[in-house]
Amino acid sequence: MLIGKVVGSVVSTRKNDKLVGNKFMIIELSEKMVEKSKQIIAIDNIGAGIGEYVLVATGSAARIGCGMEMAPVDAAVVGIIDDGSRLE
Amino acid sequence: MLIGKVVGSVVSTRKNDKLVGNKFMIIELSEKMVEKSKQIIAIDNIGAGIGEYVLVATGSAARIGCGMEMAPVDAAVVGIIDDGSRLE
Amino acid sequence: MLIGKVVGSVVSTRKNDKLVGNKFMIIELSEKMVEKSKQIIAIDNIGAGIGEYVLVATGSAARIGCGMEMAPVDAAVVGIIDDGSRLE
Amino acid sequence: MLIGKVVGSVVSTRKNDKLVGNKFMIIELSEKMVEKSKQIIAIDNIGAGIGEYVLVATGSAARIGCGMEMAPVDAAVVGIIDDGSRLE
Amino acid sequence: MLIGKVVGSVVSTRKNDKLVGNKFMIIELSEKMVEKSKQIIAIDNIGAGIGEYVLVATGSAARIGCGMEMAPVDAAVVGIIDDGSRLE
Protein backbone atom coordinates (compact mmCIF):
# COMPACT_ATOMS: atom_id res chain seq x y z
CA MET A 1 0.00 0.00 0.00
CA LEU A 2 1.02 3.63 -0.35
CA ILE A 3 0.49 6.61 1.90
CA GLY A 4 -0.85 9.87 0.56
CA LYS A 5 -2.76 13.00 1.48
CA VAL A 6 -6.23 13.75 0.19
CA VAL A 7 -5.95 17.02 -1.75
CA GLY A 8 -9.23 17.20 -3.62
CA SER A 9 -11.75 15.31 -5.67
CA VAL A 10 -12.94 15.07 -9.24
CA VAL A 11 -16.44 14.80 -10.60
CA SER A 12 -17.38 12.65 -13.56
CA THR A 13 -21.00 12.74 -14.68
CA ARG A 14 -20.59 10.51 -17.74
CA LYS A 15 -18.96 7.37 -16.42
CA ASN A 16 -19.00 3.57 -16.32
CA ASP A 17 -22.28 2.41 -14.68
CA LYS A 18 -20.44 0.46 -12.01
CA LEU A 19 -18.79 3.62 -10.76
CA VAL A 20 -22.04 5.45 -10.02
CA GLY A 21 -22.19 6.60 -6.39
CA ASN A 22 -18.43 6.62 -5.83
CA LYS A 23 -16.32 9.55 -4.78
CA PHE A 24 -13.07 10.05 -6.69
CA MET A 25 -10.46 11.54 -4.42
CA ILE A 26 -7.20 13.09 -5.63
CA ILE A 27 -4.44 11.62 -3.51
CA GLU A 28 -1.03 13.31 -3.37
CA LEU A 29 1.26 10.36 -2.72
CA SER A 30 3.96 10.73 -0.09
CA GLU A 31 7.31 11.82 -1.53
CA LYS A 32 8.85 8.95 0.37
CA MET A 33 6.90 6.52 -1.78
CA VAL A 34 6.96 8.01 -5.26
CA GLU A 35 8.54 10.74 -7.30
CA LYS A 36 7.82 14.31 -6.27
CA SER A 37 4.18 15.43 -6.43
CA LYS A 38 2.77 12.29 -7.95
CA GLN A 39 -0.98 11.90 -7.64
CA ILE A 40 -3.49 9.15 -8.21
CA ILE A 41 -7.28 9.04 -8.16
CA ALA A 42 -8.74 6.62 -5.63
CA ILE A 43 -12.28 5.80 -4.64
CA ASP A 44 -13.06 6.34 -0.98
CA ASN A 45 -15.64 4.52 1.03
CA ILE A 46 -13.94 5.14 4.39
CA GLY A 47 -14.90 8.81 4.49
CA ALA A 48 -11.52 10.55 4.32
CA GLY A 49 -11.54 14.34 4.32
CA ILE A 50 -9.32 16.84 2.53
CA GLY A 51 -5.96 17.05 4.30
CA GLU A 52 -6.13 13.61 5.87
CA TYR A 53 -3.36 11.07 5.36
CA VAL A 54 -4.62 7.80 3.99
CA LEU A 55 -3.52 4.30 3.13
CA VAL A 56 -4.19 3.53 -0.53
CA ALA A 57 -4.40 0.02 -2.00
CA THR A 58 -3.80 -0.36 -5.72
CA GLY A 59 -4.45 -2.96 -8.41
CA SER A 60 -6.89 -5.82 -7.98
CA ALA A 61 -6.70 -5.35 -4.20
CA ALA A 62 -8.66 -2.09 -4.51
CA ARG A 63 -11.45 -3.70 -6.46
CA ILE A 64 -11.77 -7.00 -4.65
CA GLY A 65 -10.95 -5.77 -1.17
CA CYS A 66 -13.59 -3.06 -1.34
CA GLY A 67 -16.46 -5.28 -2.49
CA MET A 68 -16.44 -3.86 -6.02
CA GLU A 69 -15.16 -6.92 -7.79
CA MET A 70 -16.73 -6.09 -11.13
CA ALA A 71 -16.03 -2.34 -11.21
CA PRO A 72 -13.20 -0.58 -13.07
CA VAL A 73 -11.44 0.56 -9.91
CA ASP A 74 -7.66 0.26 -9.49
CA ALA A 75 -7.02 2.37 -6.39
CA ALA A 76 -8.96 2.80 -3.13
CA VAL A 77 -8.57 4.56 0.20
CA VAL A 78 -8.52 1.67 2.67
CA GLY A 79 -7.53 3.41 5.90
CA ILE A 80 -6.99 6.80 7.47
CA ILE A 81 -3.58 7.15 9.13
CA ASP A 82 -3.66 8.20 12.79
CA ASP A 83 -1.33 11.13 13.36
CA GLY A 84 -0.49 11.26 9.65
CA SER A 85 1.14 14.68 9.83
CA ARG A 86 4.11 13.00 11.53
CA LEU A 87 4.81 11.35 8.16
CA GLU A 88 5.64 14.62 6.42
CA MET B 1 -7.15 5.60 -11.58
CA LEU B 2 -5.25 8.23 -13.56
CA ILE B 3 -6.41 11.39 -15.25
CA GLY B 4 -5.43 12.16 -18.80
CA LYS B 5 -6.47 14.02 -21.93
CA VAL B 6 -7.55 12.29 -25.10
CA VAL B 7 -5.09 13.38 -27.79
CA GLY B 8 -5.76 10.97 -30.63
CA SER B 9 -6.41 7.39 -31.58
CA VAL B 10 -4.65 4.53 -33.31
CA VAL B 11 -5.99 2.06 -35.82
CA SER B 12 -5.04 -1.60 -35.86
CA THR B 13 -6.51 -3.73 -38.62
CA ARG B 14 -4.64 -6.94 -37.74
CA LYS B 15 -5.41 -7.53 -34.10
CA ASN B 16 -6.53 -10.03 -31.47
CA ASP B 17 -10.11 -11.16 -32.24
CA LYS B 18 -11.38 -10.05 -28.86
CA LEU B 19 -10.39 -6.47 -29.60
CA VAL B 20 -12.51 -6.14 -32.74
CA GLY B 21 -14.90 -3.20 -32.51
CA ASN B 22 -12.92 -1.27 -29.92
CA LYS B 23 -11.54 2.21 -30.27
CA PHE B 24 -7.95 2.70 -29.10
CA MET B 25 -7.51 6.20 -27.73
CA ILE B 26 -4.15 7.84 -27.10
CA ILE B 27 -4.31 9.33 -23.62
CA GLU B 28 -1.78 11.96 -22.53
CA LEU B 29 -1.59 11.36 -18.80
CA SER B 30 -1.65 14.36 -16.50
CA GLU B 31 1.82 15.59 -15.54
CA LYS B 32 0.65 15.51 -11.96
CA MET B 33 0.30 11.75 -12.19
CA VAL B 34 3.26 10.60 -14.26
CA GLU B 35 6.48 11.82 -15.79
CA LYS B 36 6.22 14.53 -18.42
CA SER B 37 4.31 13.66 -21.60
CA LYS B 38 3.67 10.04 -20.82
CA GLN B 39 0.95 8.41 -22.87
CA ILE B 40 -0.99 5.17 -22.76
CA ILE B 41 -3.47 3.54 -25.11
CA ALA B 42 -6.88 2.89 -23.59
CA ILE B 43 -10.08 1.48 -24.99
CA ASP B 44 -13.06 3.76 -24.73
CA ASN B 45 -16.66 2.74 -24.50
CA ILE B 46 -17.82 5.93 -22.80
CA GLY B 47 -17.49 8.04 -25.92
CA ALA B 48 -14.76 10.50 -25.01
CA GLY B 49 -13.75 13.02 -27.65
CA ILE B 50 -10.38 14.51 -28.52
CA GLY B 51 -9.43 17.13 -25.94
CA GLU B 52 -11.61 15.74 -23.16
CA TYR B 53 -10.17 14.89 -19.77
CA VAL B 54 -10.86 11.34 -18.74
CA LEU B 55 -10.48 8.94 -15.86
CA VAL B 56 -8.47 5.89 -16.91
CA ALA B 57 -8.50 2.55 -15.05
CA THR B 58 -5.54 0.24 -15.56
CA GLY B 59 -4.73 -3.42 -15.02
CA SER B 60 -7.37 -6.09 -14.48
CA ALA B 61 -9.85 -3.33 -13.51
CA ALA B 62 -9.97 -2.17 -17.13
CA ARG B 63 -10.79 -5.61 -18.42
CA ILE B 64 -13.19 -6.84 -15.76
CA GLY B 65 -14.84 -3.51 -14.99
CA CYS B 66 -15.68 -2.92 -18.64
CA GLY B 67 -17.28 -6.31 -19.31
CA MET B 68 -14.33 -7.54 -21.41
CA GLU B 69 -13.06 -10.12 -18.99
CA MET B 70 -11.45 -12.31 -21.64
CA ALA B 71 -9.92 -9.56 -23.82
CA PRO B 72 -6.31 -8.36 -23.79
CA VAL B 73 -7.16 -4.92 -22.45
CA ASP B 74 -5.12 -3.28 -19.67
CA ALA B 75 -6.38 0.31 -19.76
CA ALA B 76 -9.85 1.80 -20.29
CA VAL B 77 -11.52 5.18 -20.22
CA VAL B 78 -14.06 4.82 -17.41
CA GLY B 79 -15.27 8.38 -16.97
CA ILE B 80 -15.15 11.84 -18.48
CA ILE B 81 -14.09 14.53 -16.01
CA ASP B 82 -16.48 17.46 -15.65
CA ASP B 83 -14.61 20.75 -15.99
CA GLY B 84 -11.39 18.89 -16.71
CA SER B 85 -9.55 21.95 -17.95
CA ARG B 86 -9.32 23.12 -14.33
CA LEU B 87 -6.89 20.24 -13.79
CA GLU B 88 -4.24 21.67 -16.08
CA MET C 1 -1.81 -0.82 -23.73
CA LEU C 2 1.50 0.49 -24.94
CA ILE C 3 2.86 1.07 -28.41
CA GLY C 4 6.26 -0.21 -29.42
CA LYS C 5 8.33 -1.33 -32.37
CA VAL C 6 9.46 -4.91 -32.87
CA VAL C 7 13.27 -4.83 -32.88
CA GLY C 8 14.23 -8.49 -32.53
CA SER C 9 13.53 -11.72 -30.76
CA VAL C 10 15.12 -13.96 -28.18
CA VAL C 11 15.39 -17.72 -28.11
CA SER C 12 15.04 -19.78 -24.96
CA THR C 13 15.51 -23.52 -25.29
CA ARG C 14 15.22 -24.34 -21.58
CA LYS C 15 11.93 -22.78 -20.49
CA ASN C 16 8.65 -23.28 -18.67
CA ASP C 17 6.62 -25.99 -20.45
CA LYS C 18 3.67 -23.70 -20.98
CA LEU C 19 5.81 -21.36 -23.05
CA VAL C 20 6.80 -23.97 -25.64
CA GLY C 21 5.90 -22.88 -29.16
CA ASN C 22 5.82 -19.16 -28.42
CA LYS C 23 7.90 -16.47 -30.06
CA PHE C 24 9.48 -13.93 -27.72
CA MET C 25 9.72 -10.57 -29.42
CA ILE C 26 11.87 -7.69 -28.19
CA ILE C 27 9.66 -4.60 -28.24
CA GLU C 28 11.21 -1.15 -28.09
CA LEU C 29 8.48 0.86 -26.37
CA SER C 30 7.59 4.27 -27.78
CA GLU C 31 9.46 7.10 -26.08
CA LYS C 32 6.09 8.79 -25.66
CA MET C 33 5.02 5.99 -23.34
CA VAL C 34 8.09 5.16 -21.28
CA GLU C 35 11.57 6.36 -20.53
CA LYS C 36 14.04 6.45 -23.40
CA SER C 37 14.88 3.11 -25.05
CA LYS C 38 12.95 0.92 -22.70
CA GLN C 39 12.23 -2.58 -23.98
CA ILE C 40 10.05 -5.47 -22.95
CA ILE C 41 9.72 -9.04 -24.15
CA ALA C 42 6.26 -9.96 -25.41
CA ILE C 43 4.85 -13.10 -26.94
CA ASP C 44 3.36 -12.65 -30.38
CA ASN C 45 0.61 -14.69 -31.92
CA ILE C 46 -0.49 -11.99 -34.35
CA GLY C 47 2.54 -12.39 -36.60
CA ALA C 48 4.29 -9.04 -36.26
CA GLY C 49 7.54 -8.58 -38.17
CA ILE C 50 10.72 -6.72 -37.30
CA GLY C 51 10.17 -2.99 -37.70
CA GLU C 52 6.41 -3.08 -37.28
CA TYR C 53 4.65 -0.94 -34.69
CA VAL C 54 2.51 -2.96 -32.35
CA LEU C 55 0.03 -2.62 -29.52
CA VAL C 56 1.24 -4.49 -26.43
CA ALA C 57 -1.01 -5.56 -23.55
CA THR C 58 0.63 -6.18 -20.20
CA GLY C 59 -0.24 -7.94 -16.96
CA SER C 60 -3.03 -10.48 -16.63
CA ALA C 61 -4.57 -9.09 -19.84
CA ALA C 62 -1.73 -10.62 -21.86
CA ARG C 63 -2.26 -14.04 -20.41
CA ILE C 64 -6.03 -14.21 -20.26
CA GLY C 65 -6.74 -12.21 -23.41
CA CYS C 66 -4.50 -14.43 -25.51
CA GLY C 67 -5.94 -17.76 -24.40
CA MET C 68 -2.89 -18.66 -22.30
CA GLU C 69 -4.52 -18.35 -18.91
CA MET C 70 -2.16 -20.78 -17.18
CA ALA C 71 1.12 -19.65 -18.79
CA PRO C 72 3.73 -17.32 -17.29
CA VAL C 73 3.14 -14.55 -19.81
CA ASP C 74 2.90 -10.89 -18.76
CA ALA C 75 3.13 -9.08 -22.11
CA ALA C 76 1.70 -9.87 -25.54
CA VAL C 77 1.48 -8.26 -28.95
CA VAL C 78 -2.26 -7.81 -29.46
CA GLY C 79 -2.39 -5.68 -32.59
CA ILE C 80 -0.28 -4.25 -35.39
CA ILE C 81 -0.66 -0.49 -35.79
CA ASP C 82 -1.66 0.68 -39.27
CA ASP C 83 0.70 3.42 -40.43
CA GLY C 84 2.77 3.11 -37.28
CA SER C 85 5.66 5.13 -38.61
CA ARG C 86 3.52 8.26 -38.16
CA LEU C 87 3.89 7.68 -34.41
CA GLU C 88 7.63 8.33 -34.38
CA MET D 1 9.71 -9.89 -4.95
CA LEU D 2 11.65 -6.95 -3.57
CA ILE D 3 14.02 -6.68 -0.64
CA GLY D 4 13.65 -3.92 1.92
CA LYS D 5 14.33 -3.01 5.51
CA VAL D 6 11.59 -2.54 8.08
CA VAL D 7 11.89 1.06 9.29
CA GLY D 8 8.65 1.61 11.18
CA SER D 9 4.94 1.10 11.18
CA VAL D 10 1.76 3.11 10.77
CA VAL D 11 -1.47 2.91 12.71
CA SER D 12 -4.88 3.30 11.13
CA THR D 13 -7.88 3.16 13.44
CA ARG D 14 -10.53 3.93 10.81
CA LYS D 15 -9.94 1.35 8.10
CA ASN D 16 -11.49 -1.25 5.82
CA ASP D 17 -13.01 -4.04 7.96
CA LYS D 18 -10.92 -6.70 6.25
CA LEU D 19 -7.74 -5.03 7.42
CA VAL D 20 -8.57 -5.21 11.13
CA GLY D 21 -5.86 -7.02 13.06
CA ASN D 22 -3.07 -6.40 10.56
CA LYS D 23 0.18 -4.60 11.19
CA PHE D 24 1.22 -2.06 8.56
CA MET D 25 4.99 -1.94 8.30
CA ILE D 26 6.94 0.83 6.55
CA ILE D 27 9.46 -0.89 4.30
CA GLU D 28 12.43 1.05 2.93
CA LEU D 29 13.08 -0.74 -0.33
CA SER D 30 16.67 -1.60 -1.21
CA GLU D 31 18.32 1.02 -3.43
CA LYS D 32 19.35 -1.81 -5.70
CA MET D 33 15.70 -2.46 -6.47
CA VAL D 34 14.09 0.96 -6.71
CA GLU D 35 14.93 4.62 -6.83
CA LYS D 36 16.63 6.10 -3.80
CA SER D 37 14.70 5.95 -0.50
CA LYS D 38 11.48 4.58 -1.87
CA GLN D 39 9.13 3.10 0.71
CA ILE D 40 5.99 0.99 0.63
CA ILE D 41 3.56 -0.14 3.29
CA ALA D 42 3.24 -3.90 3.65
CA ILE D 43 1.28 -6.10 6.01
CA ASP D 44 3.37 -8.49 8.05
CA ASN D 45 2.27 -11.81 9.41
CA ILE D 46 5.78 -13.27 9.62
CA GLY D 47 6.76 -11.15 12.60
CA ALA D 48 9.55 -8.97 11.21
CA GLY D 49 11.11 -6.45 13.56
CA ILE D 50 12.41 -2.94 12.94
CA GLY D 51 15.79 -3.12 11.21
CA GLU D 52 15.27 -6.56 9.69
CA TYR D 53 15.66 -7.15 5.96
CA VAL D 54 12.60 -8.70 4.42
CA LEU D 55 11.28 -10.14 1.19
CA VAL D 56 8.16 -8.28 0.06
CA ALA D 57 5.62 -9.65 -2.42
CA THR D 58 3.43 -7.16 -4.26
CA GLY D 59 0.21 -7.19 -6.23
CA SER D 60 -2.28 -10.05 -6.10
CA ALA D 61 0.48 -12.32 -4.75
CA ALA D 62 0.38 -10.45 -1.42
CA ARG D 63 -3.33 -10.92 -1.04
CA ILE D 64 -3.75 -14.47 -2.28
CA GLY D 65 -0.46 -15.85 -1.02
CA CYS D 66 -1.14 -14.63 2.52
CA GLY D 67 -4.63 -16.08 2.83
CA MET D 68 -6.32 -12.68 2.59
CA GLU D 69 -7.91 -13.14 -0.78
CA MET D 70 -10.73 -10.69 -0.18
CA ALA D 71 -8.76 -7.95 1.62
CA PRO D 72 -7.42 -4.72 0.07
CA VAL D 73 -3.78 -5.69 0.50
CA ASP D 74 -1.22 -5.16 -2.27
CA ALA D 75 2.10 -5.75 -0.44
CA ALA D 76 3.13 -8.25 2.23
CA VAL D 77 6.26 -9.29 4.07
CA VAL D 78 6.69 -12.93 3.02
CA GLY D 79 10.13 -13.75 4.41
CA ILE D 80 12.92 -12.44 6.60
CA ILE D 81 16.32 -12.45 4.89
CA ASP D 82 19.07 -14.32 6.74
CA ASP D 83 22.15 -12.12 7.04
CA GLY D 84 20.34 -9.23 5.37
CA SER D 85 22.92 -6.65 6.34
CA ARG D 86 25.23 -8.15 3.68
CA LEU D 87 22.80 -6.71 1.10
CA GLU D 88 23.55 -3.11 1.98
CA MET E 1 8.58 -10.39 -19.61
CA LEU E 2 11.94 -8.88 -18.77
CA ILE E 3 15.46 -10.10 -19.38
CA GLY E 4 18.03 -10.16 -16.63
CA LYS E 5 21.16 -11.87 -15.43
CA VAL E 6 21.27 -14.09 -12.36
CA VAL E 7 23.75 -12.45 -9.97
CA GLY E 8 23.14 -14.27 -6.71
CA SER E 9 20.55 -15.61 -4.34
CA VAL E 10 19.10 -14.83 -0.95
CA VAL E 11 18.21 -17.17 1.87
CA SER E 12 15.16 -16.73 4.07
CA THR E 13 14.70 -19.24 6.88
CA ARG E 14 11.61 -17.61 8.42
CA LYS E 15 9.15 -17.28 5.58
CA ASN E 16 5.61 -17.84 4.37
CA ASP E 17 4.85 -21.61 4.39
CA LYS E 18 3.97 -21.63 0.71
CA LEU E 19 7.46 -20.47 -0.19
CA VAL E 20 9.25 -23.40 1.47
CA GLY E 21 11.48 -25.22 -1.00
CA ASN E 22 11.90 -22.31 -3.40
CA LYS E 23 15.13 -20.67 -4.44
CA PHE E 24 15.14 -16.88 -4.45
CA MET E 25 17.45 -15.61 -7.17
CA ILE E 26 18.71 -12.03 -7.41
CA ILE E 27 18.16 -10.93 -11.00
CA GLU E 28 19.97 -7.90 -12.36
CA LEU E 29 17.54 -6.64 -14.96
CA SER E 30 18.90 -5.62 -18.34
CA GLU E 31 19.63 -1.90 -18.59
CA LYS E 32 17.65 -1.91 -21.80
CA MET E 33 14.53 -2.79 -19.83
CA VAL E 34 14.77 -0.78 -16.62
CA GLU E 35 16.76 1.95 -15.00
CA LYS E 36 20.44 1.27 -14.36
CA SER E 37 21.26 -1.65 -12.02
CA LYS E 38 17.74 -2.46 -10.99
CA GLN E 39 17.29 -5.87 -9.41
CA ILE E 40 14.36 -8.06 -8.48
CA ILE E 41 14.06 -11.32 -6.59
CA ALA E 42 12.50 -14.16 -8.57
CA ILE E 43 11.86 -17.78 -7.78
CA ASP E 44 13.50 -20.23 -10.13
CA ASN E 45 12.29 -23.68 -10.97
CA ILE E 46 14.06 -23.86 -14.33
CA GLY E 47 17.50 -24.26 -12.79
CA ALA E 48 19.30 -21.10 -13.89
CA GLY E 49 22.88 -20.63 -12.72
CA ILE E 50 24.78 -17.53 -11.69
CA GLY E 51 25.72 -15.53 -14.77
CA GLU E 52 22.99 -16.89 -16.99
CA TYR E 53 20.59 -14.58 -18.80
CA VAL E 54 16.99 -15.37 -18.05
CA LEU E 55 13.46 -14.43 -18.99
CA VAL E 56 11.51 -13.24 -15.95
CA ALA E 57 7.71 -13.11 -15.74
CA THR E 58 6.16 -10.76 -13.20
CA GLY E 59 2.81 -10.28 -11.52
CA SER E 60 0.10 -12.93 -11.46
CA ALA E 61 1.81 -14.64 -14.43
CA ALA E 62 4.68 -15.73 -12.16
CA ARG E 63 2.35 -17.32 -9.66
CA ILE E 64 -0.21 -18.91 -11.94
CA GLY E 65 2.14 -19.85 -14.77
CA CYS E 66 4.50 -21.69 -12.42
CA GLY E 67 1.86 -23.80 -10.69
CA MET E 68 2.06 -21.82 -7.46
CA GLU E 69 -1.34 -20.20 -7.66
CA MET E 70 -1.73 -19.75 -3.92
CA ALA E 71 1.83 -18.64 -3.07
CA PRO E 72 3.05 -15.06 -2.53
CA VAL E 73 5.23 -15.02 -5.62
CA ASP E 74 5.31 -12.05 -8.00
CA ALA E 75 8.36 -12.83 -10.16
CA ALA E 76 9.70 -16.08 -11.61
CA VAL E 77 12.45 -17.21 -13.95
CA VAL E 78 10.54 -18.79 -16.84
CA GLY E 79 13.30 -19.38 -19.38
CA ILE E 80 17.04 -19.30 -19.91
CA ILE E 81 18.10 -17.18 -22.89
CA ASP E 82 20.28 -18.98 -25.45
CA ASP E 83 23.36 -16.90 -26.20
CA GLY E 84 22.34 -14.29 -23.64
CA SER E 85 25.70 -12.56 -23.61
CA ARG E 86 24.83 -11.10 -27.02
CA LEU E 87 22.22 -8.97 -25.20
CA GLU E 88 24.79 -6.99 -23.24
Side-chain angles (χ1 to χ4, degrees):
Chain A
M1 285 72 68
L2 297 170
I3 286 175
K5 186 180 183 174
V6 180
V7 296
S9 61
V10 290
V11 176
S12 168
T13 304
R14 285 161 63 198
K15 59 177 174 288
N16 181 298
D17 289 349
K18 293 167 194 153
L19 294 175
V20 172
N22 280 284
K23 287 201 301 185
F24 302 104
M25 310 307 283
I26 305 173
I27 312 292
E28 179 95 20
L29 295 169
S30 163
E31 289 191 20
K32 289 183 178 156
M33 312 226 158
V34 290
E35 330 250 312
K36 187 167 151 253
S37 299
K38 199 174 169 186
Q39 299 180 341
I40 57 167
I41 306 299
I43 60 156
D44 172 30
N45 42 38
I46 303 286
I50 303 281
E52 282 190 298
Y53 287 83
V54 293
L55 201 55
V56 178
T58 60
S60 57
R63 199 164 37 86
I64 295 170
C66 295
M68 301 182 67
E69 200 158 324
M70 301 309 291
V73 162
D74 61 17
V77 173
V78 297
I80 296 169
I81 307 293
D82 299 3
D83 190 16
S85 60
R86 139 186 106 84
L87 298 168
E88 286 198 281
Chain B
M1 286 72 69
L2 297 170
I3 286 174
K5 186 179 182 174
V6 181
V7 295
S9 61
V10 290
V11 176
S12 169
T13 304
R14 285 161 62 198
K15 58 177 174 288
N16 181 298
D17 288 348
K18 293 167 194 153
L19 293 175
V20 172
N22 280 284
K23 286 201 302 184
F24 302 105
M25 310 307 283
I26 305 173
I27 312 291
E28 180 96 20
L29 295 169
S30 163
E31 288 191 19
K32 289 182 180 158
M33 312 227 157
V34 290
E35 331 251 313
K36 188 168 150 252
S37 300
K38 200 174 168 186
Q39 299 180 342
I40 57 168
I41 306 298
I43 60 157
D44 171 31
N45 42 38
I46 302 287
I50 304 281
E52 282 189 297
Y53 286 83
V54 293
L55 201 55
V56 178
T58 59
S60 57
R63 198 165 36 88
I64 295 171
C66 296
M68 301 183 66
E69 200 159 324
M70 302 309 291
V73 163
D74 61 17
V77 172
V78 297
I80 296 169
I81 307 293
D82 300 3
D83 191 16
S85 60
R86 135 186 108 83
L87 299 168
E88 287 198 282
Chain C
M1 286 71 69
L2 297 170
I3 286 174
K5 186 180 182 173
V6 180
V7 295
S9 60
V10 291
V11 176
S12 169
T13 304
R14 287 161 60 199
K15 59 177 173 288
N16 182 298
D17 289 349
K18 292 166 194 153
L19 294 175
V20 172
N22 280 283
K23 286 201 302 183
F24 302 105
M25 310 308 283
I26 305 173
I27 312 292
E28 180 96 18
L29 295 170
S30 163
E31 289 191 18
K32 288 183 180 157
M33 312 227 157
V34 290
E35 330 251 313
K36 187 167 151 254
S37 300
K38 200 174 168 186
Q39 299 180 342
I40 58 167
I41 306 298
I43 59 157
D44 172 30
N45 41 38
I46 302 288
I50 304 282
E52 282 189 298
Y53 286 83
V54 293
L55 201 55
V56 178
T58 60
S60 57
R63 197 165 37 86
I64 295 171
C66 297
M68 301 184 65
E69 200 158 325
M70 302 309 291
V73 163
D74 61 16
V77 173
V78 297
I80 295 168
I81 307 294
D82 299 4
D83 190 16
S85 61
R86 135 187 108 84
L87 298 167
E88 286 197 282
Chain D
M1 286 72 68
L2 297 170
I3 286 174
K5 186 180 183 173
V6 181
V7 295
S9 60
V10 291
V11 176
S12 169
T13 304
R14 286 162 62 198
K15 60 176 173 290
N16 181 299
D17 289 348
K18 292 167 195 154
L19 293 175
V20 172
N22 281 284
K23 287 201 301 183
F24 302 105
M25 311 307 283
I26 305 173
I27 312 292
E28 180 95 20
L29 295 169
S30 163
E31 289 191 19
K32 288 182 180 157
M33 312 227 157
V34 290
E35 331 250 313
K36 188 168 151 252
S37 299
K38 199 174 168 186
Q39 299 180 343
I40 58 167
I41 307 298
I43 59 156
D44 171 31
N45 42 39
I46 302 286
I50 304 281
E52 282 191 297
Y53 287 83
V54 293
L55 202 55
V56 178
T58 60
S60 58
R63 199 164 38 85
I64 294 171
C66 296
M68 301 183 66
E69 200 158 325
M70 302 308 291
V73 163
D74 60 17
V77 173
V78 297
I80 296 169
I81 306 293
D82 299 3
D83 189 17
S85 60
R86 138 186 106 84
L87 299 168
E88 286 196 282
Chain E
M1 286 72 69
L2 296 169
I3 286 174
K5 186 181 183 172
V6 181
V7 296
S9 61
V10 291
V11 176
S12 168
T13 303
R14 285 162 63 199
K15 59 177 173 287
N16 182 298
D17 289 349
K18 292 167 195 155
L19 294 175
V20 172
N22 280 284
K23 287 201 301 183
F24 302 104
M25 309 308 282
I26 305 172
I27 312 292
E28 180 96 19
L29 295 169
S30 162
E31 288 190 21
K32 288 183 180 156
M33 312 226 158
V34 290
E35 330 251 312
K36 187 166 150 254
S37 300
K38 200 173 168 187
Q39 299 180 342
I40 58 167
I41 307 298
I43 60 157
D44 172 30
N45 42 38
I46 302 287
I50 304 282
E52 282 190 297
Y53 286 83
V54 293
L55 202 54
V56 178
T58 60
S60 57
R63 198 164 38 86
I64 295 170
C66 296
M68 302 184 65
E69 200 159 324
M70 302 309 289
V73 163
D74 60 17
V77 172
V78 297
I80 296 169
I81 306 293
D82 299 3
D83 190 16
S85 60
R86 137 186 107 84
L87 299 167
E88 286 198 281

